[in-house]
Amino acid sequence: MAETKEKSLSDEKPKPRVRPIVRLGIFLISHSFHVSVVCCTAGVLALFLLPVLAKNTYISENALMPGSASPMLSNQHVSDGNRLVKDLTNPNSKSSETGIESHKIIAQYMLDLGAEVSFHKFHPQMNQFHPLHFFSSPDSGKIQENYSCSSYGINTVGIIRAPHGDGKEAIVLVTPYNALKSGFGEALSLGIAYSVFSLLTQVTWLAKDIIWLVADSQYGEYAAVAAWLREYQTPKFSSLSTPNAEMCPDVNNLFELKGHSISGSKFSNSFRRAGTMASALVLKVRDQNEQFEDTISIYAEASNGQMPNLDLINVVNYLAVHRQGLRVNVEKLWSLLNSSWLKSLGEIFESLAKVAKSLYPKWKFGIPATEYVEGTATLASSLYYQALGVPTGPHGAFRDYQVDAITLEISPKFSLDKVWRNDILLRGGRLIEGVIRSVNNLLEKFHQSFFLYLLTSPSKFVSVGVYMIAFALLIAPLPMVAASLYVDANSSSNCSKGDSSTPSAITDTDEHSIAIRSWRWLNSAKLVFIVHLWGAIVSLLPYFISQIPDCSPTTSFMIWVLLSILSLLTLNSVLASPLACAKATQEKEWALVKSVTISSVFIGLGLMSVINFATAEIGALLMVPMCLLAQPLKLDVRAGTLRSFCRMICNLVLGHIAFPPAAFFLLKGMLDGFGNANVGDFWMWVESLWAWNSATYLFIGMVQLPCWVLCISILFHTC
Amino acid sequence: MVLLQRPHILLLLIDTHQFLQCWIAFGSANEEGQQQEEFSEELLVKPLPDHKLLAHFHFQSSAPPSTSNGCHHHLFPKAISQLVQKFRVKEMELSFTQGRWNYESWGGFDPISSSNAKPPGVELWAVFDVPQHHIDASWKNLTHTLSGLFCASINFLESTATYSTPEWSFPPASGNVRYGTFPCEAVCTENLTPWLRLLPCRDKAGIALLLDRPSLYRGFYHSQRLHLTSTESSSEGIDSGIILEQTLTVVLQPNSERAIEVHASEKHVQPSWSLSSIFGKQVSGRCVLAKSSSVYLLLDRGLVAELKFPNKENGKSAANGLTSENFWSNPSFELSVNPDRIFLEESSSHSKSLSILYMFQVEKYSESEPFDIGLMWKVPVAWLCQQTPLHASRFLMGSGNERGAIAISLKSTQFTEGFMSANSKDGSCELRVDVFQVVPWYVKVYFHSLRVFVDQQPRAVSDFIEKIHVSPSKDKMSPGVMEVVLKLPCRVNTAALTIEFDKGFLRIDEYPPDANQGFDIPSAIISFPNFHASMVFLEDDSLNRSPLLSKFQDKCPVMSYTEVLLVPLTTPDFSMPYNVSTIKCTVFALYFGSLLNVLQRRVAEEERFLKAKAAKKTGRLPLLLSKLSAKLRGRRREPLHSPPSSSSFINSKLVLKVILVAGLAVGWQYFFS
């Protein structure tokens, strides 16, 4: 910077040429205002354009060959499945307190097919907040001392060994089942899985082993699947003195009865394994009925916005739509569907596309307005669930072990009388069979298609190359504005100090003071660092608060807020409070603070975009305007022009919105209505975030909150 | 083609070389040849507990020592004898396997399973009778020859990174052993045909006629094995020359009418079968070149115990007294053909009950009256095969692309408990387990991280490991080998060995075409040297000559193979070379461009030129451009000749013009299209 200044001062001499890239940089920095306005608008616009830019999905991996073989699932298998459903819904089977009877029935059915069966007992593990465990691989779990016989779950696992296969790989089929209060839907999902399973014991094309996991969902579907996976992947060989599930009488009973029912070799109470898991399907049937047609919903988001390979979704979508005539759904934000502004935006895009098409017939990028609205709603939910970082179903547990998995939820159409039940069993079964057959065809693991994408409909996606543009445009102005603020702050202090007409004098005489001034930003950096440190402390506080017994969410939240404020004040006073004694001589202090804040936000957003893109995108939408607009209110009041007034209003509004709890309540209000908003909800939400090891929590605590505090401090800066 | 060429050349060389020798020795060959070349074919059928059927074909050809017979063979395959002579193979075993042997339901304690249950893919081991430093060369040549002979990619075992040298845990313990496996070899009929070509009758006559490809490969397990022993070069008096043992073990499902079966009330009844229903073919007489040709039906110990033969107590005497009605017309099953002989096992130490062997001579049958034995079950029978003392399974632990662990878990089958307690005379009963594990070099095993868990308690390694031999892997050179001798207490329920590894990186050209599938870790071999899988049937002079039964009498230790593991390694983006070359080219272009620029430029002259240009009045457009560039240079703040407002004004004017023209064009297009 100083170099360029010197150059500009000595304009008479023919100058050595500056490199074009440097020139471009200087140009951008000097026009940072315009650049940032253009970039931010373009970024937001690009985000809204994403549904238009979405591409149709296609099967990328040739080996999958979905639907190329005709389904082999016949009515015979369906009636097998029906038998199981009847047996399970039979009131006799529910007589037992613990629901062991139904597990026995399932195991017996599996055994009759010639599958290897084992029970897996697990104790539900409460999700604990482990600071610093965020990105570590799943461990074998903490050993808890207070296991009791009353609280354990039983997963029933059946394994079919592929007759010709070498047993290196396996496909997992999961059906959550709560034996205690199972709805009809759960029984039906078991029926579908059973009919597929009974088919697969006979087929000769099987190359990968099939594992059917009936996950005991009385402690949550996820917990059961996660417990089984933990045992599968990271077993503990040493059992310490903790009471084992084997000692509980019920479980022993379970094994005894099984042992002699059939030639015992197929059944064992030891944990059974197959090879490396190639992919997993979670199958559910919803109890309440859909009014229009049979639909199937796909849930794919795993923890921290990880998605399964797009090919898996493609296969399911292709088979469901083109083979089984099911309607495929992905999550939508329903509230967005009726918003008129989105509709009008869609219409604008549509008409623009029409014009463009008439200009040049090859420009075909338009989509109908209704499709646009739906695409946006889907995209928004896709972004939301990825940003949340909480898995949307039991499939999330698989992703932690790099296994591609999705949850399929079938919502049947009519009241389930006999005919419809058979129909749904047949179609659902054939869908599952087709997917398993496709995955079975795979020679390699899923790697061809995308892992980073956003869905705008079941058959449309936005890949990383496209959606990154919106984000990049949003955060592009940040470094420029930071640089220009820095230059401004330095040069203006230069001007205030010395006489601008004789700049050479300054350079000659006062080089030392310039050197000092150029290091002035360290002061602001210190402030920013302290606030970020505070952010880290705030995000660690819940761990201690959660240790307090019998605390309602509201009080916990209050304690958290109080402690946070207290710690901020303490830090401020202890660490030489740069906020108060900000060396009032430097009137451009706030600009430097803003510059450093913006840089730190840029770094934070950049890092976050690698970890969880959706969080970074939503964070950028909130934080970038706030950071860019922040200016002391006093200055705006003093200026009194319309522009400064507007800026003041914007600042105040953004200052409210960007506060994480406020943003949360606003979002919640928009989705569910403001009626039942409760202060404790935020605490619950945060609790769920850390329980799922969501990086969003860290982002909020260590990037967004400090940024907000810094911006507020800039707003109320006394200058 | 390359693969095939080399062995051919080799064979050719052998041919010419041998020919000269033989020609000289020809004259004296015939008189000496007291021992004849022999060939025998046998088939053993055994019902398995899970409604399946095991068929074990056993063909054995033997050649007397070559000195007695020259290079001419009547029956013995010449390719094999040349191979033995050329590479001085003392013992060799090659197996092609598809599917997995199910140790739990098909048993692991009998001679068939412990010597014929093989890991999936190709397994080859060989003992050479050459000096130490020639072994590797011999091995390489052998792999190439075999790969040509059997149409398989055995030649990949040539590289030192794929085979290993077991020190002592591998059964034919000697320093000259080389052992290699290739788990991902797909085994199919192309491997079977050359194997059949080694038989004197091929599959045109005799028992081999049954080898109908579709029904063989429909089976659940399929393992073809070639075992040869040569005592040719030994200086001992009794020379048996070369013995070539070819076995084919298949596990088949008799009539698969399961759909009907499930709903039948008697679903536990074993399916009835006959040779023609399983293989779709019948045996129409023996191979005329075979010395003996017989089919056996084996009812193993567990089954015999279940069947409750009416006079079990005096069974022994009955077996001696030729065919006893009791043994083949049992209330629970019926044989379609009367057996020619019945053998009863001699009392075995491992089990209370004894297995029964029915023998059928194929010689009696002909084209008009083909041989077809069938077994019809009348009542449901359920039994268990005798299992290995500990059931071994191996799996991977951990996740991610960085590290993991291999775990071998041993679980007591409680099948041989009685035997073990009986065996513990001095109270300190110990069960010896040998583990032999080869890991490829890209799975970097940390041998210090070996941990032992016995009965779910972590234990000190030295408490249970009696002997351990480790040869660490060398990158791209040799695999890691671990040989462990475990001494476990007999009462042990579970034991586990875990060992951690890091996943290595490969160079891009070292990845196989299907790199994203993952990489195989070959099976570990778990053997129990204290236990011998042998079946001794009551001695008889005719029995003495049956190679299959004499094979059963051999005391070979019980062995089992664990699963093959699949380790996913990090794979690069395989378009990377393209990207790299693109980037490289860009960098080169930039570098050379700027270099030339620097070399060409003369700064002083340029400045003069600039000044001259400034003095001269230029056109309007160049002026605009220069102003724009001046703006780009960041000279905005300094007072210029023209005020900055004018420059931006002109600038915006230009922009306006451009927009106007573009708008006109768009409008034109819009209205006139």
Side-chain angles (χ1 to χ4, degrees), chain A residues 125-411:
Chain A
Q125 223 168 33
M126 288 304 114
N127 273 316
Q128 288 288 330
F129 177 62
H130 306 295
L132 307 178
H133 265 212
F134 269 93
F135 305 112
S136 63
S137 59
D139 55 350
S140 50
K142 239 169 63 177
I143 298 160
Q144 288 178 339
E145 295 300 323
N146 51 357
Y147 282 155
S148 66
C149 280
S150 58
S151 71
Y152 64 89
I154 303 166
N155 290 331
T156 314
V157 186
I159 299 177
I160 304 176
R161 306 279 174 194
H164 309 289
D166 43 14
K168 290 190 286 195
E169 286 173 285
I171 304 170
V172 187
L173 179 64
V174 183
T175 46
Y177 178 67
N178 187 351
L180 289 184
K181 49 175 174 79
S182 71
F184 188 71
E186 278 187 339
L188 203 59
S189 73
L190 283 179
I192 294 176
Y194 179 73
S195 57
V196 176
F197 204 63
S198 72
L199 167 76
L200 293 177
T201 49
Q202 298 162 22
V203 293
T204 49
W205 44 257
L206 217 54
K208 297 182 165 95
D209 293 352
I210 306 288
I211 306 176
W212 178 20
L213 169 68
V214 180
D216 191 352
S217 60
Q218 53 179 320
Y219 302 105
E221 294 162 355
Y222 185 91
V225 176
W228 179 76
L229 274 171
R230 204 162 37 233
E231 181 67 29
Y232 194 99
Q233 297 278 11
T234 53
K236 283 194 305 258
F237 293 104
S238 58
S239 69
L240 298 178
S241 56
T242 50
N244 241 335
E246 276 89 5
M247 295 172 190
C248 305
D250 273 347
V251 188
N252 282 336
N253 184 25
L254 186 74
F255 293 131
E256 270 167 32
L257 270 175
K258 290 261 64 79
H260 56 75
S261 62
I262 197 169
S263 54
S265 65
K266 289 281 183 187
F267 178 82
S268 73
N269 52 11
S270 62
F271 193 83
R272 276 178 187 275
R273 286 185 176 79
T276 312
M277 284 181 261
S279 78
L281 289 174
V282 183
L283 178 72
K284 293 200 264 186
V285 178
R286 199 185 286 170
D287 272 330
Q288 67 262 36
N289 305 324
E290 199 71 17
Q291 58 272 40
F292 303 116
E293 51 186 326
D294 297 336
T295 51
I296 178 160
S297 317
I298 299 178
Y299 300 91
E301 289 86 1
S303 57
N304 281 327
Q306 298 181 81
M307 299 290 278
N309 197 288
L310 187 57
D311 264 346
L312 191 58
I313 295 175
N314 290 345
V315 168
V316 172
N317 181 47
Y318 178 85
L319 287 171
V321 173
H322 298 289
R323 290 291 181 274
Q324 304 309 326
L326 296 162
R327 206 162 61 89
V328 178
N329 250 343
V330 279
E331 271 299 89
K332 277 180 206 149
L333 284 188
W334 295 100
S335 55
L336 278 182
L337 279 183
N338 302 323
S339 63
S340 52
W341 62 273
L342 210 56
K343 211 170 277 175
S344 52
L345 193 65
E347 275 157 12
I348 291 170
F349 283 137
E350 195 183 351
S351 52
L352 270 180
K354 231 175 251 171
V355 172
K357 199 183 170 188
S358 64
L359 285 180
Y360 188 62
K362 275 191 183 169
W363 287 346
K364 277 183 275 190
F365 55 80
I367 54 170
T370 50
E371 208 175 301
Y372 175 78
V373 173
E374 267 192 33
T376 315
T378 317
L379 182 77
S381 102
S382 199
L383 264 178
Y384 172 73
Y385 284 111
Q386 285 191 23
L388 212 55
V390 176
T392 48
H395 60 267
F398 286 97
R399 192 64 235 176
D400 293 344
Y401 298 92
Q402 284 88 42
V403 179
D404 292 300
I406 50 172
T407 297
L408 304 176
E409 194 177 54
I410 300 176
S411 327

Side-chain angles (χ1 to χ4, degrees), chain B residues 321-466:
Chain B
L322 287 174
T323 51
S324 151
E325 285 278 308
N326 296 325
F327 281 99
W328 53 272
S329 67
N330 191 274
S332 45
F333 70 93
E334 194 177 337
L335 287 174
S336 66
V337 182
N338 288 1
D340 296 311
R341 297 181 68 88
I342 295 173
F343 299 110
L344 200 63
E345 194 187 2
E346 269 191 350
S347 60
S348 82
S349 50
H350 301 336
S351 174
K352 274 158 271 169
S353 60
L354 307 164
S355 47
I356 296 177
L357 192 70
Y358 298 87
M359 179 182 163
F360 305 87
Q361 301 279 359
V362 183
E363 282 106 26
K364 299 192 297 184
Y365 301 89
S366 62
E367 290 273 0
S368 53
E369 191 201 350
F371 172 71
D372 183 17
I373 105 165
L375 182 78
M376 215 172 48
W377 293 99
K378 294 174 188 164
V379 286
V381 194
W383 75 97
L384 289 176
C385 276
Q386 200 171 5
Q387 294 184 17
T388 50
L390 297 174
H391 179 252
S393 71
R394 193 180 60 160
F395 51 90
L396 285 178
M397 305 201 312
S399 65
N401 284 324
E402 205 180 348
R403 58 177 68 91
I406 303 173
I408 299 175
S409 107
L410 303 164
K411 200 154 283 165
S412 169
T413 49
Q414 276 151 8
F415 207 83
T416 42
E417 207 168 60
F419 161 68
M420 281 192 279
S421 57
N423 226 18
S424 59
K425 288 151 199 150
D426 50 347
S428 63
C429 161
E430 275 187 335
L431 174 62
R432 185 179 154 181
V433 183
D434 288 9
V435 180
F436 172 64
Q437 168 79 68
V438 180
V439 276
W441 65 265
Y442 40 77
V443 175
K444 296 179 179 4
V445 171
Y446 295 120
F447 290 102
H448 73 272
S449 64
L450 181 74
R451 286 190 294 163
V452 181
F453 297 88
V454 176
D455 285 330
Q456 302 193 326
Q457 299 294 326
R459 294 302 192 85
V461 170
S462 52
D463 288 359
F464 290 95
I465 291 185
E466 193 185 60

